[in-house]
């Protein structure tokens, strides 16, 4: 069993697409997201900050609170900015358009209105596919990957690396539950 980000993948995300809604430009959307995420050292946050570059002085974030497994809500330049996954947008009761983009999708809302999405991607570590193949040559018949990423992004990485089973869209506590479940199965199944 492997956690995806930072274990099988580099853990360094890069922004691959910015899709603002009407009334917000792509650079503005990226800057708002980066400002809200400024105090986080999560790989997703760092990629947003890197892509946004130097932020205008007016985009100072205050009252930032991180919601584990969901995202960040902060006051940025006087506006409430929520940056996170689909779960956060649903928690805030915001409708978001369907998205089939491969990668991790970061949704942005400003003052309670959906403002757009940013797609980021994390590349597999060099040698990760070889390591999975080596495990299989040693007799491991089932390799499982756990991730908080969306199913589409997780499946793309799993396919590239030769992973047998993927558990996606997990919160940190869900990953523990999955490992416990797999351990319990260990006495019943031979891998």
């Amino acid at each position: 069993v492997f956690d995806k980000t930072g274990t099988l993948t580099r853990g360094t995300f890069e922004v691959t697409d910015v899709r603002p809604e009407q009334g917000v430009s792509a650079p503005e959307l990226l800057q708002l997201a980066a400002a809200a995420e400024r105090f986080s050292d999560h790989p997703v946050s760092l990629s947003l900050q890197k892509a946004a570059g130097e932020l205008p002085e007016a985009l100072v974030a205050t009252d930032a609170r991180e919601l584990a497994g969901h995202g960040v809500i902060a006051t940025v330049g006087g506006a409430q900015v929520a940056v996170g996954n689909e779960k956060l947008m649903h928690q805030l009761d915001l409708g978001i358009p369907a998205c089939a983009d491969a990668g991790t999708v970061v949704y942005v809302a400003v003052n309670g209105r959906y403002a757009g999405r940013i797609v980021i991607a994390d590349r597999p570590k060099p040698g990760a596919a070889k390591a999975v193949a080596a495990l299989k040559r040693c007799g491991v018949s089932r390799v499982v990957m756990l991730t908080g990423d969306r199913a589409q992004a997780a499946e793309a990485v799993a396919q590239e690396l030769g992973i047998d089973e993927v558990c996606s869209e997990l919160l940190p506590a869900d990953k523990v539950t999955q490992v416990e479940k797999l351990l319990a199965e260990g006495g019943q199944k031979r891998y």
Side-chain angles (χ1 to χ4, degrees):
V1 177
F2 292 96
D3 185 56
K4 182 185 83 60
T5 304
T7 304
L8 295 171
T9 62
R10 297 174 191 229
T12 54
F13 292 88
E14 293 181 10
V15 171
T16 59
D17 193 20
V18 180
R19 301 265 175 106
E21 287 291 297
Q22 189 172 9
V24 180
S25 71
E28 289 171 330
L29 185 70
L30 193 53
Q31 289 178 343
L32 286 168
E37 294 273 0
R38 185 173 183 195
F39 300 105
S40 176
D41 62 356
H42 188 280
V44 170
S45 301
L46 297 176
S47 71
L48 293 171
Q49 294 169 49
K50 180 179 178 185
E54 184 89 22
L55 297 176
E57 287 184 27
L59 292 183
V60 174
T62 59
D63 303 322
R65 59 187 167 105
E66 194 162 357
L67 306 167
H70 288 74
V72 172
I73 298 176
T75 302
V76 177
Q80 184 187 45
V81 178
V83 181
N85 58 24
E86 192 172 337
K87 293 173 188 174
L88 177 61
M89 295 299 117
H90 289 305
Q91 184 178 341
L92 297 173
D93 201 26
L94 295 175
I96 55 174
C99 177
D101 294 336
T104 298
V105 180
V106 177
Y107 296 94
V108 182
V110 179
N111 291 330
R113 295 189 64 197
Y114 174 69
R117 69 177 182 260
I118 301 166
V119 181
I120 58 176
D122 185 15
R123 301 296 311 146
K125 285 184 176 180
K130 287 181 183 178
V132 170
L135 285 171
K136 290 181 177 186
R137 283 193 307 275
C138 290
V140 175
S141 62
R142 181 181 176 203
V143 179
V144 180
M145 181 178 76
L146 307 179
T147 182
D149 286 352
R150 295 176 41 234
Q152 294 93 330
E155 290 293 339
V157 170
Q159 185 174 12
E160 186 173 345
L161 298 180
I163 303 289
D164 301 304
E165 184 178 329
V166 178
C167 300
S168 57
E169 302 181 28
L170 301 174
L171 295 172
D174 298 332
K175 292 178 184 180
V176 172
T177 301
Q178 281 298 125
V179 169
E180 290 171 344
K181 178 182 168 188
L182 291 166
L183 287 170
E185 290 174 5
Q188 301 165 7
K189 293 183 181 180
R190 182 177 172 113
Y191 299 109

